[in-house]
Amino acid sequence: MKRAPQVLPVVAAATLLLGACGSPDPEPTPASAATESSAPASSAPSSSGPSNAGVYNLPGTGVFPEGITAADDTFYVTSTSDGAVFRGTVGSPDVSVFLPGGADGRTGAAGLDVLDDDDRPDYLVIAGGATGKVWVYDANSGDLVATFTNGLGTDATFLNDVAIADNGDAFVTDSRSPALYRIPFDQIVAGTQDAPMETFVNFDGSPFVYGEGFNANGIVENDDESALIVVQ
């Protein structure tokens, strides 16, 4: 039986805390997203010449980009203002609305992740912020596959980010409620609708202390699948 991953919260001052359990993407400016080749961080002026960043304009008005993920050269961007999801291709200037805001009750969208696996369907998993819901779509066709909910009211939850593990399970952070949720891959495949979300870790009584405002935010799985790393 595969051992469940540990959860390593990353809090202020870059302190690592190990929670008992059985990178950050640069935020694009409103209405745009950018790609740039990686380079070592440095406080000194660069002498390598002009940046080769590519800028992609998101269509529409009142768009506020939040989450971003990619599979190969295809990237997806959410808008927190209306729940829209945009799709573009690196190297192509055209970015289009992939999932219109408000469709399927998706009035908000925060973090997202895409399952990019040759042996499994390509699923796009979207955290719904204050809606307390998660939507799963076919990443190619845009067809709705499944939905999940934590059943909490707007003031009690903000589903913030998603990490899809190598086994296909999706893990979702909540910035307001002290819980980390898991959506098993088999529930996604089954196409369940409004299924209750499983609490994978309850942070009450752990070193990962929730305070006022936003708490758990971004999440990633490490390479050997032994830990989930959550930033606060």
Side-chain angles (χ1 to χ4, degrees), residues 158-174:
F158 190 93
L159 299 182
N160 198 319
D161 201 14
V162 180
I164 300 177
D166 282 355
N167 67 356
D169 291 355
F171 295 86
V172 184
T173 60
D174 193 323

Side-chain angles (χ1 to χ4, degrees), residues 77-174:
V77 181
T78 60
S79 172
T80 57
S81 57
D82 62 357
V85 178
F86 303 88
R87 182 170 66 177
T89 303
V90 174
S92 171
D94 297 323
V95 178
S96 60
V97 176
F98 179 56
L99 303 171
D104 306 312
R106 192 177 11 84
T107 55
L112 75 171
D113 200 5
V114 62
L115 178 61
D116 183 23
D117 187 332
D118 291 340
D119 298 325
R120 298 188 180 102
D122 294 339
Y123 290 137
L124 187 67
V125 182
I126 304 166
T131 67
K133 294 189 66 173
V134 171
W135 288 264
V136 181
Y137 292 89
D138 184 302
N140 299 307
S141 68
D143 292 338
L144 180 65
V145 175
T147 59
F148 302 87
T149 180
N150 63 10
L152 299 178
T154 299
D155 295 333
T157 187
F158 190 93
L159 299 182
N160 198 319
D161 201 14
V162 180
I164 300 177
D166 282 355
N167 67 356
D169 291 355
F171 295 86
V172 184
T173 60
D174 193 323

Side-chain angles (χ1 to χ4, degrees), residues 3-12 14-23 161 163 171 173 179-180 200-203 206-210 215-232:
R3 183 169 61 89
Q6 296 174 321
V7 177
L8 302 176
V10 182
V11 297
T15 302
L16 283 176
L17 297 177
L18 175 60
C21 170
S23 74
D161 201 14
F171 295 86
T173 60
L180 175 65
F200 182 63
V201 178
N202 185 335
F203 290 116
S206 77
F208 193 13
V209 179
Y210 269 52
N215 292 274
N217 198 320
I219 181 172
V220 294
E221 183 186 45
N222 66 346
D223 285 344
D224 67 6
E225 307 171 46
S226 64
L228 295 163
I229 304 168
V230 181
V231 66
Q232 182 180 30

